[in-house]
Amino acid sequence: MSIVRTNDLNYAGIADAIRNKSGVRAVYTPAQMAAAIEAIPNRLSIPEYWRSKLANAVHSAQLLKLEGGADVVQFVWFSDLHLRASVANANYGRNIGMLAAYLMDACHIPYCLMCGDTATNAAEETAQLMWDDFAYADSKIAPIGLDRLIRVRGNHDGCWGWTLGADGTKENYYGFKFTQEQLKSVLFKPLSANQSYHFASEGSYYYVDDAKQSIRIIALDSFWSGDASAKPDGTANYDSFNHGGYGQAQLDWLCNTALVLPTGYDCIIITHIPPNGDYDSAALCRDNIVLEGIISAFCKRTSYMGTYAFEASRNEGAWANVAINKDFSAYKGRCLGVFSGHCHKDTAALDKLPCPVLTITCAANSSYDAANEGVRSNDSALETALDIVSIDRSTGVINCIRVGIGRNRVVGGSITKYTITNELSHVTTSNGSVSIARGERYSASLTAAKGYTLNDKAISIVMGGADITSAAYGSGNISIASVTGDVVITAAAVRNALDTGVLAQAECYNSTEIYGDGKGYKDGMYLSDNASTYEAPDVERVLTGFIPFAMKRENGVERIPTLYVKGASWKETSHVRFWPFILNSEGKKILLTAGKLSNGAMSSADWIVTQLGDDYYRFQPTAGSALYAPEYHNFTHCRLSLTGTGENLIVTIDREITWE
């Protein structure tokens, strides 16, 4: 029997796996690893009273994904746990991690969003009790796994501040007993080991790219503070518990990094305090108005300039000043919604920002919206609340499937699709899209066909019935910053001037000449068997007159000329014809059976037709053409009927057609 050996590297990998799955940040010896693995919560140990509720939610989420396919983005969402180790039996959120993990596994959902306030009601007296609260909360979140959890900081998560005690005196909030680095070590450092989590240098805000769903999740810190000092009485100098904010560095990072989305990606934003939702967020979050302006400008593809100046009444310093000046016109992707907590109730604001702003009720034993939700109770499927969120990219509809107390919600639907119609003549576009979402940027480059030049006077862009050409077009490029209606693009190119050498030839026939014997063209006619005129109507065709076309003798050898035709199409369809004629003894032109080429055929025993370019063809006689027979070789003329009009039609004999 062989001996299996391991080494420090393997032990380190096992320890990392235990920490990742358990959510507990600890150092393990090899002897402790087995027990630590046994202690990892079993997702299958979900209480029986949750089973039917979970099954119904999973079924609903799977149906939404099946119906919407790749257009549907899904994640699990909860907020405001407020867990305390000292009152574990009364914590409604004690099963939250197992519930979330079950839903994620059953629905193949890659991430769970947690919008702040992980632990306590901020009433612990010692630092150790607060560490215990975080450890207890982490143990309940652990089944989700650190590689699937995206969390933000709430005002109960280690922020500095104070509250009034029962006797009216001030009591320190627990955040005063934590340094900023200690707080980050609890909330964010465990997540930063994941390569898909892109943290800013501040370490408390970041984004995660979900490649499976082509979505970027941007996690913001609503309680960044530049002052963590204390007053002589021990209370916080800056009360970040009651007054949050984002700060210059974070908002710059949002503008210049987080919102620069990969091609094909959309984003969602998560915060603790909702921006401009159903809550007086401006009173609590000092520079929320600037965040709102950034999100709005990004959605509308416009510029934004906004500032926040510090307020002495809040003990803010210069660190609180914010100034943003950003142009989002060239950005890509959409913000599908902002998801927040803090309010302890379900809200949805659709008229404040160009994207929906949603909040969710608290997941645990803090105050909640009992009037709308009902009464919570332990040991039942009414003890907590979390959502499976499904966002349909194509419609903007957000389905929040409630697991626990509360109701399902259907929100939004404001993403409207508009049509893009291109009416182009001798012009191609770089953008083949036939529809676009409301508010998206549209851009395209127009290119004239070979031998043509864009005619700016024949180019128009109409959006929602209004002509926006002057603002949206220039030098062959179309740019619409924000689409707000159906778009119709009309563009035409004009043919370049003919090579003067071609025009100088006697045997060059073009549509500018008067229709008559051998010259000129008729639109809406084709070559017919009617012997009196050889003409009949067809609105899709153009018909030439009788073009002089006869055998040539060169160095004693007879040769049938080669024709070049440009400006109309030789399509394989009826009424597209090339016929030779002979002048009879009475001076009348009679159709020859030999040499006839009909229905747009590209070759025959007498001719080979080769397409040389855009509406450009060569008619080349074969060596064995019947027209070389003595009874036919005295043909004198030819005629063609082609698809198109005679506006740009030209025929040359034995000379290629070139353009400037």
Side-chain angles (χ1 to χ4, degrees):
M1 179 177 177
S2 61
I3 298 176
V4 178
R5 298 180 181 276
T6 185
N7 55 38
D8 291 344
L9 181 61
N10 291 331
Y11 285 132
I14 296 170
D16 286 341
I18 295 171
R19 283 186 285 267
N20 183 48
K21 291 299 181 183
S22 69
V24 176
R25 289 159 295 283
V27 177
Y28 300 100
T29 66
Q32 295 171 322
M33 288 179 176
I37 293 171
E38 289 290 340
I40 295 174
N42 185 351
R43 295 173 186 172
L44 299 180
S45 62
I46 295 172
E48 182 64 32
Y49 56 81
W50 275 110
R51 298 298 173 86
S52 62
K53 192 81 170 180
L54 291 171
N56 291 336
V58 167
H59 178 68
S60 298
Q62 289 175 337
L63 283 179
L64 288 172
K65 186 65 176 176
L66 183 64
E67 292 171 0
D71 281 337
V72 173
V73 173
Q74 291 185 320
F75 52 86
V76 171
W77 176 36
F78 66 89
S79 186
D80 294 86
L81 279 169
H82 297 282
L83 291 177
R84 297 183 68 190
S86 60
V87 288
N89 291 333
N91 277 313
Y92 296 137
R94 63 185 184 275
N95 291 312
I96 195 77
M98 289 191 294
L99 298 176
Y102 178 91
L103 296 172
M104 295 170 74
D105 290 344
C107 299
H108 304 288
I109 292 174
Y111 290 106
C112 177
L113 312 186
M114 178 181 168
C115 287
D117 283 358
T118 303
T120 84
N121 287 315
E124 304 292 15
E125 295 180 356
T126 68
Q128 185 56 53
L129 288 175
M130 294 170 221
W131 282 113
D132 292 345
D133 288 342
F134 274 117
Y136 174 71
D138 279 353
S139 72
K140 299 308 174 186
I141 300 169
I144 298 169
L146 294 177
D147 57 337
R148 306 196 299 178
L149 177 67
I150 300 175
R151 73 197 309 178
V152 296
R153 175 161 63 169
N155 57 317
H156 285 271
D157 289 329
C159 292
W160 294 61
W162 52 266
T163 187
L164 293 177
D167 59 356
T169 60
K170 291 182 179 179
E171 295 179 352
N172 289 337
Y173 273 98
Y174 68 87
F176 179 68
K177 301 177 176 68
F178 279 88
T179 67
Q180 292 296 308
E181 291 308 312
Q182 285 175 321
L183 177 64
K184 292 174 187 177
S185 73
V186 172
L187 296 177
F188 304 119
K189 190 173 182 180
L191 303 179
S192 64
N194 299 317
Q195 292 185 351
S196 57
Y197 288 54
H198 301 274
F199 277 83
S201 59
E202 294 273 349
S204 62
Y205 46 90
Y206 57 101
Y207 69 81
V208 179
D209 282 340
D210 178 358
K212 178 182 176 182
Q213 302 187 108
S214 297
I215 194 82
R216 173 170 289 182
I217 303 167
I218 302 172
L220 300 181
D221 181 0
S222 304
F223 292 93
W224 180 87
S225 170
D227 187 355
S229 63
K231 298 177 183 178
D233 64 359
T235 59
N237 192 29
Y238 175 71
D239 180 10
S240 62
F241 177 86
N242 291 301
H243 299 296
Y246 296 95
Q248 184 72 54
Q250 182 171 192
L251 295 177
D252 281 342
W253 171 86
L254 176 63
C255 292
N256 301 321
T257 301
L259 288 175
V260 181
L261 304 181
T263 299
Y265 272 58
D266 294 317
C267 74
I268 62 173
I269 296 174
I270 67 171
T271 65
H272 183 63
I273 299 178
N276 219 345
D278 184 17
Y279 185 75
D280 186 14
S281 55
L284 180 64
C285 192
R286 60 181 185 270
D287 48 15
N288 219 349
I289 190 68
V290 181
L291 174 64
E292 294 162 13
I294 291 169
I295 296 173
S296 181
F298 172 80
C299 292
K300 294 179 179 179
R301 296 294 190 266
T302 58
S303 297
Y304 172 72
M305 181 182 296
T307 61
Y308 174 80
F310 78 90
E311 297 181 24
S313 61
R314 294 182 179 180
N315 293 320
E316 297 170 1
W319 54 267
N321 290 332
V322 168
I324 296 293
N325 184 359
K326 187 65 180 179
D327 180 6
F328 293 96
S329 61
Y331 278 47
K332 300 177 292 186
R334 296 167 290 175
C335 180
L336 302 179
V338 181
F339 296 83
S340 305
H342 190 67
C343 302
H344 293 197
K345 58 183 177 179
D346 298 324
T347 71
L350 300 177
D351 58 347
K352 305 296 184 180
L353 293 176
C355 61
V357 179
L358 283 73
T359 67
I360 189 171
T361 187
C362 57
N365 61 333
S366 193
S367 59
Y368 58 92
D369 189 13
N372 292 310
E373 298 172 18
V375 178
R376 300 191 183 199
S377 60
N378 278 309
D379 303 322
S380 78
L382 300 177
E383 64 187 4
T384 190
L386 66 162
D387 282 350
I388 304 175
V389 180
S390 298
I391 307 177
D392 191 326
R393 277 186 164 103
S394 65
T395 63
V397 172
I398 301 175
N399 273 277
C400 298
I401 301 169
R402 176 54 50 84
V403 180
I405 195 166
R407 302 177 179 88
N408 293 344
R409 293 183 285 169
V410 180
V411 176
S414 58
I415 297 179
T416 304
K417 290 280 189 176
Y418 294 113
T419 60
I420 304 293
T421 303
N422 286 289
E423 298 177 352
L424 309 178
S425 176
H426 300 292
V427 176
T428 58
T429 176
S430 63
N431 191 333
S433 300
V434 296
S435 65
I436 191 170
R438 179 180 64 85
E440 275 287 87
R441 179 184 181 84
Y442 177 86
S443 60
S445 296
L446 301 179
T447 304
K450 184 178 180 181
Y452 290 81
T453 300
L454 286 175
N455 179 10
D456 285 351
K457 294 181 179 179
I459 294 174
S460 70
I461 297 95
V462 175
M463 183 169 68
D467 192 320
I468 61 168
T469 309
S470 60
Y473 174 78
S475 303
N477 296 307
I478 299 171
S479 180
I480 305 173
S482 178
V483 175
T484 58
D486 292 335
V487 177
V488 179
I489 299 168
T490 303
V494 294
R495 189 180 290 282
N496 296 341
L498 278 170
D499 182 279
T500 55
V502 173
L503 286 176
Q505 290 190 103
E507 295 179 322
C508 174
Y509 307 91
N510 63 55
S511 58
T512 62
E513 300 179 41
I514 298 172
Y515 181 81
D517 185 14
K519 296 183 178 181
Y521 301 85
K522 278 187 177 180
D523 288 336
M525 304 293 288
Y526 78 98
L527 275 175
S528 165
D529 292 323
N530 180 352
S532 61
T533 62
Y534 298 108
E535 298 174 4
D538 183 336
V539 295
E540 296 184 358
R541 312 292 173 234
V542 56
L543 174 63
T544 72
F546 288 92
I547 299 174
F549 183 72
M551 190 82 71
K552 291 185 176 182
R553 180 173 290 275
E554 297 173 349
N555 299 321
V557 178
E558 290 185 328
R559 180 180 66 82
I560 299 174
T562 297
L563 263 70
Y564 295 89
V565 179
K566 193 165 186 177
S569 179
W570 180 263
K571 291 186 176 180
E572 294 191 16
T573 186
S574 61
H575 298 171
V576 174
R577 298 171 175 176
F578 169 42
W579 290 353
F581 290 83
I582 188 170
L583 189 67
N584 66 9
S585 59
E586 299 175 356
K588 185 177 181 180
K589 298 179 180 66
I590 305 298
L591 175 64
L592 288 178
T593 301
K596 287 177 62 176
L597 193 58
S598 298
N599 296 334
M602 297 301 284
S603 64
S604 74
D606 300 307
W607 302 94
I608 296 175
V609 183
T610 304
Q611 184 165 3
L612 302 178
D614 180 30
D615 289 347
Y616 182 25
Y617 306 88
R618 179 180 63 213
F619 292 76
Q620 194 169 20
T622 64
S625 172
L627 291 173
Y628 280 107
E631 61 269 34
Y632 298 124
H633 76 269
N634 58 341
F635 58 87
T636 57
H637 294 80
C638 70
R639 296 186 80 178
L640 297 98
S641 55
L642 304 130
T643 300
T645 65
E647 179 183 4
N648 296 309
L649 187 61
I650 184 169
V651 179
T652 61
I653 301 173
D654 284 339
R655 176 68 182 266
E656 291 190 29
I657 302 172
T658 57
W659 306 84
E660 293 180 345

